[in-house]
Amino acid sequence: MARDTAYLKVADALRARIRAEEWPVGAKLPSRSRFAEEYAVGQSVTQRALELLIIEGLLEGRAGSGTYRCEPRERLRIVRSRRRRLAGLGGAGVTWESHSAARTPAPERIAERLAVPPGDPCVLTTYEFLSEGRPVEICESWEPMAVTNGTPVVLPEAGPYKGAGVIERMRSIGVLVASSLEVPRPARANQRQANLLGISVGDLITEIERTYYATDGRAVETADIVVADRRSEIAYEIDFHPGDR
């Protein structure tokens, strides 16, 4: 079978076996090398197949232990769109906790994204988004103080525009946000991410690098967003208007 689709065929076969209750909930599955031998593919193929079934919520990986059949679970849908920030499945309410620190020097990677000199003062705000009390997303947001210093919106979660979001807060001080760029990347959770999200080190996550740009081209905010795949799925909503081609 073609290498780029082989893992899908293995995943289909394993999915059918799971639904046929070959392994009860809580049971440990055979090793990926055993599946590789059984389906005459490489271990990287079976690894991708198992990861897909983990994302679908049929299996869970336990660091240093193996892969297990788990209880079916509903994943929260996180909608990325111009109009909406978060939307939960099943009426799940989403809340958040945050902490801001002003005059935080921009590290080199953040300075590059904001097009400011390294060490320039920024407001760093950390967020933890919760659904039914469980963490589903974490975020580190950086705003250059050259844009907001001395204004009522210097702290994102304080003042008259508390919690209003980047676009509305910037508009209130005469800065119009024209666009945003989001770059999603698959990754594995490190120790810090695992602790904050309540998952295991090495679990699948999605990292999103987001930057907002004003009409004059300035970057006015950049953020690193992390979502745990076992708890959430990311959906992008794209608006179309009459006359679009």
Side-chain angles (χ1 to χ4, degrees), residues 75 136 197 199 204-206 226-233:
R75 298 164 74 209
V136 293
L197 288 167
I199 59 178
L204 292 170
I205 58 174
T206 300
V226 181
V227 174
D229 281 354
R230 70 158 61 182
R231 300 248 177 93
S232 311
E233 65 180 8

Side-chain angles (χ1 to χ4, degrees), residues 21-79:
E21 300 293 332
E22 182 170 337
W23 301 286
V25 171
K28 182 178 180 179
L29 269 67
S31 67
R32 62 183 179 183
S33 59
R34 166 86 173 271
F35 285 135
E37 181 179 352
E38 184 174 346
Y39 292 105
V41 295
Q43 290 192 36
S44 62
V45 171
T46 56
Q47 178 68 18
R48 289 184 69 187
L50 292 170
E51 286 178 351
L52 178 60
L53 298 179
I54 290 172
I55 291 171
E56 292 177 1
L58 296 174
L59 303 175
E60 67 176 352
R62 301 178 188 174
S65 179
T67 306
Y68 292 78
R69 169 82 188 277
C70 64
E71 289 279 3
R73 56 184 181 271
E74 187 176 58
R75 298 164 74 209
L76 177 73
R77 171 165 289 186
I78 299 179
V79 179

Side-chain angles (χ1 to χ4, degrees), residues 26 51 77 79 90 97 123 127-128 160 168 175 201-202 205 207 215:
E51 286 178 351
R77 171 165 289 186
V79 179
E97 299 173 356
V123 174
Y127 293 91
E128 182 179 36
E168 187 65 26
V175 177
V201 174
I205 58 174
E207 297 178 332
T215 52

Side-chain angles (χ1 to χ4, degrees), residues 48-150:
R48 289 184 69 187
L50 292 170
E51 286 178 351
L52 178 60
L53 298 179
I54 290 172
I55 291 171
E56 292 177 1
L58 296 174
L59 303 175
E60 67 176 352
R62 301 178 188 174
S65 179
T67 306
Y68 292 78
R69 169 82 188 277
C70 64
E71 289 279 3
R73 56 184 181 271
E74 187 176 58
R75 298 164 74 209
L76 177 73
R77 171 165 289 186
I78 299 179
V79 179
R80 317 291 303 172
S81 80
R82 183 170 60 87
R83 293 179 297 161
R84 296 187 289 176
R85 175 62 182 83
L86 286 167
L89 292 176
V94 176
T95 60
W96 67 88
E97 299 173 356
S98 65
H99 173 75
S100 293
R103 304 196 179 281
T104 303
E108 189 170 345
R109 63 183 180 84
I110 296 298
E112 183 177 353
R113 283 154 55 176
L114 292 173
V116 299
D120 255 26
C122 294
V123 174
L124 167 62
T125 304
T126 57
Y127 293 91
E128 182 179 36
F129 292 91
L130 309 164
S131 174
E132 298 180 338
R134 295 193 312 167
V136 293
E137 177 185 320
I138 55 175
C139 173
E140 283 192 354
S141 167
W142 296 80
E143 294 183 356
M145 294 191 69
V147 176
T148 59
N149 196 28

